[in-house]
Amino acid sequence: MNETPVLQIENVSKRIKHHQILSNVSLTVKKGEILGLLGPNGSGKTTMIRSVLGLVSLNAGEISIGGYSIKKDFEKAVSLAGAIVENPEFYNYMSGYYNLVHFANMSDPIGRGRIAEVVDLVGLGERIHDPVRTYSLGMRQRLGIAQAVLHKPQLLLLDEPTNGLDPSGIRELREYLKNLRDKENVAIVISTHLLKEVEDMCDRVAIIKKGEILSVQNVRYEASDLPIRVLFEVNQPLEAEEAAKAYSPAPVPGGLEFLVRREEIPLINRTLTENGIDVFAIHPKRKNLEESFLELIEEATE
């Protein structure tokens, strides 16, 4: 039986006057994964996150959290989500601990044991009783995450969570988010315009520009994930191109380049050698995230 996605976005569109902010967006997020929503500033990332939380009305489409519709079961749906949409706000004169106690008392009672759990999850044990005004920006972000997951949500939404953090703070935040994912099996969606952040933190990435999802792909490929670009160094490029034309070769300096599935590589090699063509070397080359992102953005611009 297929597990219900934690987050299901189906054909969502949002328009304000003549400005199309989201265009027929569809996206699925599974339990226990970190998905990066990657795009330039103004691409619609924040609007999408606010739409998931019911803070933005939609012109078309459906959004569900844990199987509950934002439109039909709003309270149940949003109760399964935690979020930091902008910089988290706290009472600066109070300690981090009593800020969490205050937040816990605002809805269903949350025990002190759970507060201790989330404090440990985000690594604030040594400073949790200090006034928030003494916290660094990174500590405030971690306290915000602790607040967002107090009620054990299935989904955590973070909008540009590393803004303003130094490299050390970014690294710490990354490790605590992974720890949270591993220990509580929560799905995490992170919107960002930083490629490095996605590569270091996320399992999958959805690339967005001008309100459209251009691609959804794994950040780290398994051996079987393809297509893969392969260069064959050969002694007779013209003859090789004709012999392997079924695989759509592209002539390049030194040989032929193919965009094929992994299991097709030995088939191409056999085809070439059976036609009397010497294959000197085979060089697989995967696109990294930066290459994919820039190529997609350039195509969308054109």
Side-chain angles (χ1 to χ4, degrees), residues 159-202:
D159 187 20
E160 303 279 4
T162 61
N163 271 0
L165 296 184
D166 60 21
S168 175
I170 292 174
R171 184 175 65 250
E172 287 181 356
L173 181 65
R174 178 171 66 241
E175 294 309 313
Y176 290 125
L177 287 175
K178 288 181 177 179
N179 183 46
L180 176 65
R181 183 269 310 274
D182 294 340
K183 289 190 175 180
E184 304 226 327
N185 205 28
V186 62
I188 303 174
V189 176
I190 300 170
S191 86
T192 182
H193 61 280
L194 302 175
L195 287 158
K196 179 65 173 172
E197 186 175 317
V198 171
E199 287 185 314
D200 290 344
M201 200 180 304
C202 300

Side-chain angles (χ1 to χ4, degrees), residues 27 226 251-252 279 284 293:
L27 191 63
L226 293 171
V252 296
V279 178
F293 176 73

Side-chain angles (χ1 to χ4, degrees), residues 2-257:
N2 291 332
E3 187 177 275
T4 300
V6 174
L7 174 63
Q8 183 81 49
I9 301 174
E10 298 179 276
N11 305 317
V12 162
S13 293
K14 175 62 179 177
R15 186 181 185 89
I16 298 179
K17 295 183 179 180
H18 301 295
H19 186 199
Q20 191 73 39
I21 302 174
L22 298 175
S23 301
N24 202 35
V25 169
S26 294
L27 191 63
T28 298
V29 183
K30 301 175 291 184
K31 184 180 294 185
E33 78 167 329
I34 302 178
L35 181 133
L37 189 59
L38 175 66
N41 292 330
S43 59
K45 302 186 301 294
T46 297
T47 299
M48 188 182 301
I49 285 182
R50 293 175 72 88
S51 297
V52 171
L53 296 169
L55 301 175
V56 172
S57 61
L58 302 176
N59 297 117
E62 288 284 343
I63 297 175
S64 61
I65 302 175
Y68 294 95
S69 168
I70 288 290
K71 291 181 181 178
K72 299 173 184 176
D73 297 292
F74 175 77
E75 290 189 7
K76 183 63 177 177
V78 296
S79 72
L80 300 178
I84 301 178
V85 178
E86 297 176 350
N87 292 331
E89 296 292 335
F90 303 104
Y91 293 102
N92 286 327
Y93 62 90
M94 290 169 55
S95 68
Y97 183 81
Y98 279 107
N99 267 278
L100 293 179
V101 170
H102 175 72
F103 183 80
N105 290 336
M106 290 173 64
S107 55
D108 293 336
I110 296 172
R112 302 298 172 97
R114 176 58 181 170
I115 294 176
E117 283 179 9
V118 299
V119 169
D120 182 61
L121 278 172
V122 299
L124 281 176
E126 293 184 2
R127 296 292 304 277
I128 196 64
H129 294 292
D130 294 347
V132 170
R133 67 173 179 271
T134 67
Y135 284 13
S136 67
L137 181 57
M139 292 171 63
R140 284 173 173 266
Q141 287 290 72
R142 284 189 274 147
L143 184 62
I145 291 168
Q147 176 179 293
V149 300
L150 266 176
H151 61 299
K152 293 188 176 181
Q154 295 183 19
L155 174 68
L156 177 62
L157 301 158
L158 303 174
D159 187 20
E160 303 279 4
T162 61
N163 271 0
L165 296 184
D166 60 21
S168 175
I170 292 174
R171 184 175 65 250
E172 287 181 356
L173 181 65
R174 178 171 66 241
E175 294 309 313
Y176 290 125
L177 287 175
K178 288 181 177 179
N179 183 46
L180 176 65
R181 183 269 310 274
D182 294 340
K183 289 190 175 180
E184 304 226 327
N185 205 28
V186 62
I188 303 174
V189 176
I190 300 170
S191 86
T192 182
H193 61 280
L194 302 175
L195 287 158
K196 179 65 173 172
E197 186 175 317
V198 171
E199 287 185 314
D200 290 344
M201 200 180 304
C202 300
D203 304 304
R204 289 193 303 146
V205 57
I207 297 174
I208 182 172
K209 183 179 182 185
K210 293 184 177 179
E212 296 185 21
I213 298 291
L214 305 181
S215 171
V216 181
Q217 62 189 62
N218 292 333
V219 173
R220 283 164 288 280
Y221 289 99
E222 301 295 335
S224 59
D225 287 338
L226 293 171
I228 183 172
R229 198 170 295 280
V230 186
L231 169 65
F232 279 74
E233 290 186 20
V234 296
N235 65 333
Q236 302 176 68
L238 294 178
E239 291 81 357
E241 184 177 359
E242 177 62 26
K245 63 183 180 181
Y247 299 98
S248 303
V252 296
L256 298 175
E257 196 170 77

